[in-house]
Every structure is written in C-alpha cells, then in structure tokens.
Amino acid sequence: MGRIWMYLLSAVGVLVTSGVHHAVAMEVFTPKELTAVNGSSVLLKCTFKSTEAVSEGSVSVAWTFKPLGQTGEETIFYFQIQPYPSKTGRLKDHVTWSGNVMKNDASITIRDVQFNFNGTYGCRVTNPPDVHSITSEIHLQVVQSVKLSEMGILAAAVGGAILLVLVILSVFLTVRHCRRKQEDTGVELDKSEWKQPSVW
C-alpha cells in the first residue's frame, strides 16, 4: 500500500513539474520611456527570450498603442513571417518593421512622429507553445525640440567659461607682446641717438 502511494505522489510530482515548465512566461524587454522630436523617426526597441526554439514561422509579434489620457488601445502592427502594419488609425503609414525574430528582436520604427503619437506602446511576443507572454510597455513623449540635460548644460557652461578665459589670456599676451616690442624699439632709438657724435 505504501509503495502505491509513493508511485502516485511521484506521478503527481511529474505532472506538476511539467505544468510549471510549460507555464513559464516568455520574457519581453522594452525601455520604459522614450522621447522623440516632432517630425523625426524613433526606434521602439523590443527584445524577447523564449523557453522554446525560435523559428521564422513560430514567432508572432503584436504592437498596440494607447493614446495619452485614453483607456482604449488599438493594434498598430502585427508580424508573423512577414510584417502587417495597420491600414487604419493615426499611425497608418508611419510604422515599419525593424526587428529580426531569429535574433530575438521584435522592434519597430515610427517615422515622422507627430504630437498626437504621445502615449503608451505595448509589445507582445508569442512563440507556441510558449504563449504566456506579458505585454511590455513603452511610454513615448513627443517634444518640439530636445531638452538639454543638467549635465549637458553644465558641460556647455564649463566649456564657455574655459573659452572666455582663453580669449582673455590671448588678448592679454598680445597686448603685453606689443608693449614690450614698443619698449624695445624705444630703447634702440635712445641708444642710437646717444652714440651719434656731436657736430660742433
């Protein structure tokens, strides 16, 4: 009887272990935030790690977009063997495929970024039977121009101060050199006058 219970427990253990193995979610990685200049192109980087072998035909990629301040989202891009950009919505003709599933890359590029592209972009990847994928999100902010970071401003200030010091030093050395040259010329004139014999 004890041996039967051991076999049953072993079988249950195998089933549980097998279930946990197949329930492992695919890992998807994206940056949390991105900033893009209005009218430029921006790469939305998305990479993944699957517990199953990856092939061109097994991987599916779906990108969604949720506008800033809204709750509803729309699918803007789909990939399986080949890219399928959305033919409707505000991002129509703006999204291109930049990934390579054989290199675990599911990235896209948004061209000619507009201010109404502000919002949250989601990347979801599946690779059956590894289909338990969690959507990884990127918060995109579209700006008029690139904002200088504090380090950039500090570097510019230090560089400007150094340049100003060099200019002042250069002017000082030039003036000093000119004065010294004038003084040397005056001394030579005095010497030549002192050496001239007097005519009586």
Side-chain angles (χ1 to χ4, degrees), residues 58-145:
S58 65
V59 176
S60 298
V61 179
W63 278 90
T64 57
F65 169 60
K66 182 168 61 177
L68 185 66
Q70 298 183 25
T71 55
E73 65 179 22
E74 59 183 283
T75 299
I76 59 171
F77 189 88
Y78 183 78
F79 178 92
Q80 186 171 28
I81 302 178
Q82 64 181 15
Y84 297 93
S86 176
K87 296 181 179 181
T88 59
R90 71 183 72 188
L91 278 93
K92 176 186 175 182
D93 299 328
H94 287 273
V95 184
T96 58
W97 176 246
S98 300
N100 184 342
V101 294
M102 297 306 296
K103 294 183 178 180
N104 294 5
D105 190 348
S107 306
I108 58 173
T109 295
I110 300 179
R111 300 172 302 173
D112 190 20
V113 176
Q114 304 297 311
F115 285 114
N116 62 351
F117 292 0
N118 276 301
T120 303
Y121 294 79
C123 176
R124 187 174 186 273
V125 185
T126 58
N127 182 37
D130 195 356
V131 295
H132 301 279
S133 174
I134 298 175
T135 301
S136 187
E137 296 183 338
I138 303 174
H139 300 285
L140 178 66
Q141 180 184 14
V142 183
V143 297
Q144 183 64 42
S145 59

Side-chain angles (χ1 to χ4, degrees), residues 163-177:
L163 181 62
L164 181 61
V165 170
L166 290 175
V167 170
I168 293 173
L169 184 61
S170 177
V171 171
F172 173 76
L173 291 175
T174 301
V175 171
R176 185 177 179 183
H177 176 73

